[in-house]
Amino acid sequence: MSPRPALRIAVLVSGSGSNLQAIIDAARTGTLDAQVIGVISDRPGVLALERACQAGIPAITVDYKACGSREAFGTRLLDELRRLDPQLVVLAGFMRILPAAVVDGFRGRMLNVHPSLLPRYPGLDTYRRALAAGDAWHGSSVHFVIPELDAGPVILQYRIPVRAGDSEDSLRARVQAGEHRIYPRAIQLVAEGRIEYRDGRAWRDGQPVTVPEITEEDAG
Ligand code: GRF
């Protein structure tokens, strides 16, 4: 049997790109059967674009501000994505709500990582909100993207205990370390054909995902 060709992925970014780096590294070391065929940023000059260049990956900017309107941005972004023709679009620290046309163009073929244990805390400031609520646990979720913000079905979660004395920064550092593990893993499940989006749900190995796989930080 011939080996499965690497999954062709495009990564959308807005900032530092540490998740992008984790994906690039996993593909390089062979734990992820994927090829990053392009990185698109909605902001010029961000570190994520530099990471793409360093890895020899086409680095594309679709500058939201220069586009003048949300619609124009959506059209440009969709053009770039169609040109790249990825099998999967991966949002990695992409800090903009996507126009519905873009989500619809890749329905069931777009993932996001969000720093909370969804459905808790969609949107911004998740670390502050979790601390303010006195939550015992925080974490991150990989989910399919649907037009509603951070509301698509969850595939994997990473969970950490909130420790006495935790700050937003300390929580963020531990959550992001976990994201760098679960995001390549979730993409690998897609590459293996084990995860799919159907009828508005995530399916794993043919079964609906009701409780997402959870990876926990060692409490010690
Ligand atoms: C990640 O923590 C992700 O959960 C959130 O934005 C952050 C981006 O980090 N959506 P990076 O750009 O991957 O370093």
Side-chain angles (χ1 to χ4, degrees):
M1 218 172 70
S2 59
R4 191 199 309 270
L7 185 78
R8 294 160 46 83
I9 64 177
V11 183
L12 303 192
V13 296
S14 300
S16 79
S18 66
N19 280 285
L20 166 68
Q21 192 66 57
I23 293 164
I24 291 171
D25 292 346
R28 191 178 285 148
T29 56
T31 53
L32 173 60
D33 301 320
Q35 183 194 359
V36 183
I37 57 171
V39 171
I40 305 178
S41 173
D42 64 336
R43 294 176 196 170
V46 297
L47 178 58
L49 289 167
E50 205 176 305
R51 293 182 195 267
C53 287
Q54 294 279 343
I57 297 164
I60 301 151
T61 302
V62 178
D63 187 348
Y64 184 88
K65 286 197 180 133
C67 284
S69 74
R70 218 170 117 71
E71 289 67 33
F73 172 73
T75 304
R76 275 282 326 276
L77 183 58
L78 207 46
D79 282 352
E80 292 294 347
L81 284 172
R82 290 205 170 116
R83 201 175 50 75
L84 289 168
D85 192 25
Q87 292 168 285
L88 184 73
V89 176
V90 172
L91 311 191
F94 183 72
M95 300 306 287
R96 203 165 287 284
I97 298 174
L98 280 171
V102 180
V103 178
D104 286 340
F106 288 89
R107 184 70 72 102
R109 295 193 293 135
M110 189 180 278
L111 300 185
N112 182 40
V113 65
H114 178 74
S116 78
L117 296 172
L118 290 172
R120 283 178 87 76
Y121 311 129
L124 297 173
D125 286 334
T126 63
Y127 301 104
R128 185 182 53 73
R129 290 153 75 195
L131 286 172
D135 289 354
W137 296 91
H138 194 54
S140 189
S141 307
V142 177
H143 65 95
F144 282 107
V145 175
I146 62 171
E148 297 79 53
L149 182 67
D150 301 325
V154 174
I155 301 168
L156 297 182
Q157 289 187 321
Y158 183 80
R159 206 162 88 128
I160 64 167
V162 179
R163 295 176 185 150
D166 256 329
S167 63
E168 288 184 46
D169 285 346
S170 66
L171 272 185
R172 181 182 297 106
R174 279 153 56 220
V175 165
Q176 288 192 342
E179 289 183 335
H180 302 160
R181 288 169 47 194
I182 63 168
Y183 215 4
R185 173 164 169 69
I187 298 165
Q188 177 63 14
L189 288 172
V190 175
E192 291 172 1
R194 296 180 56 196
I195 285 279
E196 61 173 333
Y197 177 86
R198 189 164 25 97
D199 305 330
R201 322 180 64 151
W203 298 73
R204 180 166 176 171
D205 298 325
Q207 301 296 320
V209 176
T210 44
V211 182
E213 177 185 311
I214 294 174
T215 307
E216 291 193 18
E217 179 186 81
D218 297 335

